[in-house]
Amino acid sequence: MKRQPLAYRMRPTSVEEVIGQHSLLGEGMMLSRMIKANQLSSMVLYGPPGTGKTSIARAIAGSSGMHFRMLNATVHHKKDMETAVEEAKMYGSLLLILDEVHRLDKAKQDFLLPHLESGLLLLIGATTANPYHSINPAIRSRCHIFELEQLEPDDIEKALRRALADEERGLGHEKIDIAPEALRHLALACGGDVRAALNALELAVLSTPKQPDGTRSVTLRSAEQSIQKKSIQHDKDGDAHYDVLSAFQKSIRGSDVNASLHYLARLLEAGDLISIHRRLLVIAYEDISLANPQAGPRTLAAIEASERLGLPEARIPLANAVVELALSPKSNSAYKALDAAMDALRKGGSGEVPRHLKDAHYKGAQQLGRGSDYKYPHDYKDGWVKQQYLPDKIADHRYYEPKQTGKFEQALSEMYKRRS
């Protein structure tokens, strides 16, 4: 009988064995409290591939001691779910771990709902798709949603070392000499996918010939070939990855499209889509903003396309976004204006709301002078009339300083001058 892949064998059998996901399973976190109190309820675990969704579901089952059954919404039929319900009736309840939960069709949903409602079935769904977009509201409303984070390289390296040491489930029965840079490369190049890292480790080890003493010496080259990605240089403290992200944003901000694409290529080679997505969205609103207002929505559309496509095709919409952002005019005036307003507020720059702006939609408001003398702008030419909106204390404060880098903000600037 063929042995299961290393990633499958190394799945945690209890919550204590789970690596990473401290925001869910750390001390005092909601999911951790639910497990410790043995007060489980139906849930959906949502996150990128290889972050441990199914592993955590199995670990919860192991820690709770509940009978469980694993099904896949794509592969298994309604009849399989009927069998699960019969088991639940035998045991009093059943933990149903359902992979690809967003693929549930209407017939399966309609069958499951009353059993979730009664508590006969406790559902742990796993999905890579955003449950707020992809899961039927009737199912979603009966579940807690927990989002898993991409695992950090240090967490993945810990999982790899555990697999190397485990004699029963892992590779501990082998004599393995693995170069530190090879292990680190697997942890970095897997893009946060611990399953990919573990299976690449197994391939690297088993494809390496034994030396006369029985030792297998795994090199960086073997690791690169096994995970099919070349090593990207990181310094010993791991800061280089963040240096590339910083250089990526600064190159776009500096309108150097070639440098921007270079750093995008480095991040894609590392498989770090999540960091790319976050950084691009920040750039669109921090560095381009009012100079090209459509850059934000178009960047978000490119990110959503990238998420749906996955690598390698994800590079195509991302390249479009990076070229547009790099060559767009730049402005940071909007968020700088807000920062100035917040800074002034924290320093005591507030004051009382002017009486003519106060809420007048209640009986007795007029007697209190609320809303009196308010001028309704739509009653005036061009929908504007001069009146005071800031509190008396800060009536002359100005926070917004427009830039002239794009036509849209130039138009805003003209309006600002006329109405200030």
Side-chain angles (χ1 to χ4, degrees):
M1 184 178 175
K2 187 178 178 181
R3 203 176 189 201
Q4 296 284 3
L6 180 62
Y8 185 90
R9 302 196 308 269
M10 290 303 300
R11 280 179 171 175
T13 57
S14 67
V15 172
E16 289 70 30
E17 288 186 16
V18 174
I19 290 174
Q21 303 305 341
H22 306 294
S23 63
L24 296 183
L25 296 170
E27 188 65 34
M29 296 297 104
M30 173 62 76
L31 184 53
S32 177
R33 297 205 313 268
M34 287 169 65
I35 295 166
K36 285 182 179 177
N38 199 24
Q39 292 295 321
L40 296 177
S41 58
S42 292
M43 67 186 76
V44 172
L45 303 177
Y46 150 59
T51 48
K53 298 180 290 296
T54 308
S55 294
I56 289 175
R58 288 177 60 98
I60 291 172
S63 293
S64 69
M66 287 184 68
H67 293 281
F68 72 94
R69 174 177 279 267
M70 290 191 65
L71 297 177
N72 185 301
T74 305
V75 176
H76 292 97
H77 304 290
K78 181 183 171 185
K79 187 173 180 60
D80 299 297
M81 295 179 182
E82 290 171 350
T83 303
V85 168
E86 291 306 313
E87 285 186 37
K89 289 175 179 176
M90 287 173 54
Y91 296 117
S93 64
L94 184 82
L95 183 61
L96 177 62
I97 300 172
L98 193 59
D99 254 332
E100 304 291 333
V101 67
H102 64 285
R103 298 286 188 185
L104 273 177
D105 60 35
K106 190 174 186 306
K108 294 173 186 173
Q109 290 171 16
D110 290 346
F111 175 74
L112 286 177
L113 279 173
H115 303 299
L116 295 179
E117 194 72 46
S118 69
L120 184 66
L121 287 181
L122 195 66
L123 174 69
I124 302 184
T127 179
T128 57
N130 188 327
Y132 292 99
H133 297 158
S134 61
I135 294 179
N136 181 287
I139 294 284
R140 194 178 66 234
S141 67
R142 290 163 172 80
C143 298
H144 290 282
I145 307 292
F146 293 109
E147 184 176 2
L148 278 69
E149 297 174 349
Q150 193 175 44
L151 292 175
E152 295 295 325
D154 287 347
D155 291 328
I156 293 173
E157 192 168 337
K158 184 178 177 181
L160 295 174
R161 292 188 184 280
R162 179 186 288 180
L164 287 168
D166 192 313
E167 295 185 8
E168 184 179 342
R169 296 181 294 165
L171 300 167
H173 58 282
E174 296 275 359
K175 290 179 67 177
I176 302 167
D177 177 22
I178 184 166
E181 61 270 22
L183 201 64
R184 190 63 180 169
H185 173 66
L186 292 174
L188 289 166
C190 67
D193 187 335
V194 69
R195 178 171 52 238
L198 285 165
N199 289 337
L201 172 66
E202 185 170 40
L203 177 59
V205 169
L206 299 183
S207 64
T208 299
K210 290 183 179 180
Q211 296 174 6
D213 66 350
T215 301
R216 299 181 193 264
S217 296
V218 180
T219 63
L220 173 59
R221 181 172 173 76
S222 298
E224 287 178 343
Q225 290 175 338
S226 297
I227 205 161
Q228 297 183 326
K229 289 185 181 176
K230 294 182 180 178
S231 178
I232 295 175
Q233 292 299 316
H234 291 259
D235 64 25
K236 63 182 180 180
D237 297 320
D239 292 336
H241 182 65
Y242 297 97
D243 290 343
V244 172
L245 279 169
S246 176
F248 180 51
Q249 179 163 2
K250 288 170 182 171
S251 297
I252 293 176
R253 182 184 294 148
S255 301
D256 189 326
V257 69
N258 295 304
S260 303
L261 290 167
H262 165 77
Y263 291 116
L264 174 64
R266 288 174 67 164
L267 292 165
L268 286 171
E269 195 68 19
D272 192 3
L273 279 178
I274 290 178
S275 294
I276 294 170
H277 293 165
R278 286 175 177 165
R279 197 58 62 111
L280 283 178
L281 205 51
V282 167
I283 291 167
Y285 288 96
E286 178 182 349
D287 296 307
I288 285 80
S289 187
L290 298 177
N292 177 7
Q294 288 305 307
R298 281 199 287 265
T299 298
L300 181 58
I303 289 168
E304 289 174 345
S306 167
E307 289 174 337
R308 291 194 179 190
L309 290 168
L311 289 170
E313 289 86 355
R315 76 191 191 285
I316 299 168
L318 293 178
N320 280 269
V322 166
V323 170
E324 177 179 359
L325 293 176
L327 297 180
S328 286
K330 306 297 189 293
S331 174
N332 64 353
S333 61
Y335 91 88
K336 284 291 185 182
L338 177 61
D339 285 352
M342 293 177 73
D343 184 58
L345 186 66
R346 289 166 185 151
K347 291 176 179 176
S350 57
E352 188 175 350
V353 174
R355 281 181 175 268
H356 62 282
L357 299 184
K358 288 184 176 182
D359 179 27
H361 291 88
Y362 59 91
K363 190 175 181 180
Q366 283 190 332
Q367 283 78 6
L368 294 173
R370 302 293 195 263
S372 59
D373 301 324
Y374 170 62
K375 298 172 185 175
Y376 187 56
H378 295 291
D379 291 339
Y380 296 83
K381 184 181 177 182
D382 298 327
W384 180 80
V385 61
K386 188 173 181 65
Q387 66 182 322
Q388 181 181 326
Y389 290 96
L390 278 169
D392 291 340
K393 182 179 177 182
I394 54 171
D396 296 325
H397 279 217
R398 296 291 179 268
Y399 308 113
Y400 176 52
E401 297 296 335
K403 295 198 172 186
Q404 304 296 317
T405 49
K407 290 182 179 179
F408 181 81
E409 194 165 14
Q410 286 172 17
L412 293 181
S413 177
E414 288 301 312
M415 185 73 71
Y416 186 50
K417 287 176 184 175
R418 290 200 302 267
R419 296 185 174 178
S420 293

